[in-house]
Amino acid sequence: MSKVNWFKQVFCACLLTGSVLLTGQQGNAAPEAKDTLNFVNYRDIRDLNPHLYAGEMYAQEMLFETLVDITPDGYKPCLAESWEISPDGKVYTFKIRKGVKFTDGEPCDAFAIKANFDAIIENKKRHTWLEMMHLLEKVEAPDAETFRITMSQPYYPMLTELGVTRPFAMISPKAMKNGSTKDGVQAFIGTGPWTLEKVVTDEYAIFKRNENYWGEKPKFERVIVKVIPDNQTRILALEKGEIDLIWGKNMLDADALNKYKNSKKFGIELSAPTSTRQILLNTTNPILKDLNVRKALQHATNRAAIAKGVFHGLETPADTLYAPSVPYCNIGLKPFEYDMKKAAALLDEAGWKPGPGGVLIKDGQPLAISLLYNSNSVTEKNIAEYLQHEFGKLGMKVSISGEEEQSYRDNMKNGKFDMVFNICWGTPYDPQSSLSAMRQRVYGDYAAQLGLDDKAEIDKAITAIPTTTDKEERQKLYTYVLTHLHEDAVYIPLTFECNKALFNKDLKGVGFTQTQYEVPFTQIYMAQ
């Protein structure tokens, strides 16, 4: 049986079956407006506090704005009309846009922005994944139109970190709790193009156009977000006209997109690569601590077969931790080519010999490792089963297990895994923010790297990167870090992810932005 056919059988066996009633169709049904875009998500919008991390990022983008925007053409003004950077690179002075108001009528001036930064800084420990939080000395609002940030050192990713979805987004000071946001907010009041009109938990949310928005107003009067957890039920809702748009990396599988690629009724859009799908290898594991074993796993991973069999070519094979298109990452690293003979030779060199039942043994112990995946991801389960089969050919006993998302993330963070699926942070966080976070227990990277002999040197170089003002020296540091991580074989890159959209062809303007979590609702309109 070919690998592709094997994939298809596994994939079909794993598809969710059965019928699920669409939420919002009975009882508290969402009202349908003439000028309405019907959107869908697999879960509720949750807590949209822009200074915390529990809410859906696309929904936070609808309500809240930052000082700057990240665009394909670079940084553009948003709540800051303009900015200046001091010659030593330590002081950023922003001229705040006049006349902007929060949707409760409060002015969004420099004083309101300082109140937001004060609230964020109060909860500083929660945000230390951003290196700037370690370097931030003070914030000031000398007048209503001027906001100033002073850093202890120059910091090249500053504008990027001020422009991402959270935490540096502005909420009305009146919505805070006694000037604080760390323990929640009273309402989700921003300056963005939408307001949150109504929420029925786990059923739907209604966003209404902000008629007083300072920028370009959305074409739709409302966006209704319906909660439909099941992939197949979402597709059925689109076919029945109950929703207009399915959007997101994990909202659509490759089979669904392949089905509609020649459709006259539905359109498909795919973004450029946004992030890398990968497997982390825990170097503190007694087996995986051996570099030859990690290299053997690299050579035993057929990335091209995964890209074709699981993703029908919609995702391309990944040979490196970051795509070459990511800034500073096109450094000519030599890929670990697919070569089962080389993989077997590396295991033999590491001292693993044939044992009972076809499983390799060393010092009386079997070569047995586990692979953890997110049980909410059919894709990860499919790949896990394929790799279990492939690695088994080498005499590896691989057990696979799926856990619900929070448990899966907790185990990653705490290093309770041998191998685990992961995805790099993607645009615009790569490489600077995702590398910085490797030095602490944010996701699984820190735990996975703890067994590396060069961990301290890698961390030292990562720490130096953001404060290095010379671009050539910065590139040298990036090259050092990325080369060491690659040669240490601690990551098995699989494919380069892309963002996906499937939609009613009457919709125009469907696409993607530089921030992979932002749905471009303001650009979308219905053809007349």
Side-chain angles (χ1 to χ4, degrees), residues 358-369:
V359 177
L360 297 176
I361 58 171
K362 180 179 179 180
D363 299 328
Q365 298 298 315
L367 203 171
I369 49 179

Side-chain angles (χ1 to χ4, degrees), residues 18 31 58-59 94-96 104 119 137 182 207 242 277 302 322 337 378 393 410 439 481 501 512:
Y58 74 86
F94 297 89
K95 183 179 180 182
I96 304 306
D104 62 0
E137 284 194 339
K182 67 182 179 65
F207 293 85
E242 293 166 350
R277 193 183 300 275
N302 192 337
Y322 300 112
E337 74 277 11
V378 174
K393 294 177 182 178
D410 288 344
R439 298 166 302 157
V481 170
F512 311 95

Side-chain angles (χ1 to χ4, degrees), residues 90-92 132 135-137 149-153 155 158:
K90 296 180 182 180
V91 181
Y92 288 70
M132 70 166 288
L135 306 176
L136 194 154
E137 284 194 339
I149 301 174
T150 302
M151 306 287 283
S152 61
Q153 297 182 61
Y155 186 63
M158 180 73 158

Side-chain angles (χ1 to χ4, degrees), residues 5-116:
N5 288 334
W6 187 91
F7 264 124
K8 288 181 177 178
Q9 286 192 14
V10 170
F11 192 83
C12 291
C14 293
L15 284 175
L16 296 173
T17 58
S19 61
V20 180
L21 288 174
L22 294 183
T23 56
Q25 299 304 302
Q26 299 176 0
N28 292 320
E32 299 289 341
K34 182 179 179 182
D35 193 12
T36 296
L37 173 63
N38 289 295
F39 187 60
V40 66
N41 197 40
Y42 72 101
R43 64 183 174 190
D44 192 69
I45 60 172
R46 304 178 294 154
D47 177 14
L48 298 184
N49 182 342
H51 299 165
L52 296 180
Y53 302 94
E56 293 299 278
M57 294 173 77
Y58 74 86
Q60 289 173 317
E61 289 273 1
M62 296 172 76
L63 302 178
F64 304 107
E65 294 183 300
T66 51
L67 289 169
V68 300
D69 274 339
I70 303 169
T71 77
D73 301 317
Y75 307 110
K76 294 292 179 70
C78 188
L79 294 178
E81 201 169 65
S82 61
W83 54 88
E84 294 180 356
I85 305 172
S86 63
D88 64 4
K90 296 180 182 180
V91 181
Y92 288 70
T93 303
F94 297 89
K95 183 179 180 182
I96 304 306
R97 190 179 298 277
K98 293 181 183 179
V100 177
K101 292 186 177 182
F102 293 98
T103 54
D104 62 0
E106 285 292 296
C108 182
D109 55 17
F111 303 125
I113 288 170
K114 183 178 182 299
N116 273 265

Side-chain angles (χ1 to χ4, degrees), residues 217-237:
K217 293 183 178 62
K219 312 300 186 296
F220 284 101
E221 181 182 339
R222 283 183 176 83
V223 172
I224 296 179
V225 182
K226 300 181 180 182
V227 179
I228 305 178
D230 177 55
N231 287 5
Q232 293 301 100
T233 310
R234 286 195 292 270
I235 299 285
L236 179 62

Side-chain angles (χ1 to χ4, degrees), residues 309-335:
V310 174
F311 300 106
H312 302 302
L314 297 176
E315 292 188 10
T316 57
D319 291 318
T320 51
L321 178 58
Y322 300 112
S325 57
V326 174
Y328 300 100
C329 296
N330 188 11
I331 58 173
L333 294 172
K334 183 181 178 181

Side-chain angles (χ1 to χ4, degrees), residues 479-494:
T479 299
Y480 176 89
V481 170
L482 296 175
T483 300
H484 276 250
L485 290 175
H486 183 75
E487 292 178 351
D488 285 336
V490 69
Y491 295 88
I492 302 179
L494 298 174

Side-chain angles (χ1 to χ4, degrees), residues 246-436:
I246 305 174
W247 190 102
K249 290 189 298 185
N250 299 314
M251 294 289 290
L252 291 156
D253 59 52
D255 273 16
L257 288 174
N258 199 46
K259 175 182 175 182
Y260 294 103
K261 66 181 181 181
N262 296 316
S263 172
K264 295 181 179 179
K265 187 176 180 182
F266 301 107
I268 293 171
E269 288 290 339
L270 300 173
S271 75
T274 59
S275 48
T276 310
R277 193 183 300 275
Q278 62 197 228
I279 291 175
L280 283 174
L281 305 180
N282 192 338
T283 58
T284 65
N285 175 282
I287 294 174
L288 295 173
K289 188 172 180 63
D290 190 321
L291 177 59
N292 276 346
V293 174
R294 300 198 302 272
K295 286 184 174 180
L297 289 167
Q298 298 276 356
H299 287 296
T301 302
N302 192 337
R303 297 159 177 83
I306 292 171
K308 185 176 181 181
V310 174
F311 300 106
H312 302 302
L314 297 176
E315 292 188 10
T316 57
D319 291 318
T320 51
L321 178 58
Y322 300 112
S325 57
V326 174
Y328 300 100
C329 296
N330 188 11
I331 58 173
L333 294 172
K334 183 181 178 181
F336 290 96
E337 74 277 11
Y338 175 61
D339 188 332
M340 292 293 273
K341 289 184 179 180
K342 184 175 288 188
L346 285 164
L347 291 175
D348 182 69
E349 185 180 334
W352 293 96
K353 305 301 179 183
V359 177
L360 297 176
I361 58 171
K362 180 179 179 180
D363 299 328
Q365 298 298 315
L367 203 171
I369 49 179
S370 62
L371 174 57
L372 177 65
Y373 65 89
N374 181 348
S375 60
N376 295 329
S377 172
V378 174
T379 297
E380 288 185 7
K381 185 175 187 293
N382 291 343
I383 297 173
E385 291 183 343
Y386 171 68
L387 292 178
Q388 180 186 46
H389 179 261
E390 289 291 286
F391 295 165
K393 294 177 182 178
L394 292 171
M396 296 182 175
K397 185 179 180 181
V398 179
S399 58
I400 62 173
S401 62
E403 296 186 2
E404 59 85 21
E405 185 173 4
Q406 191 56 54
S407 175
Y408 155 82
R409 291 190 179 279
D410 288 344
N411 282 328
M412 282 182 64
K413 184 176 179 179
N414 295 315
K416 295 180 178 179
F417 63 88
D418 297 340
M419 302 186 292
V420 65
F421 280 88
N422 191 32
I423 296 169
C424 75
W425 293 20
T427 54
Y429 302 93
D430 290 338
Q432 72 287 339
S433 298
S434 57
L435 284 179
S436 291

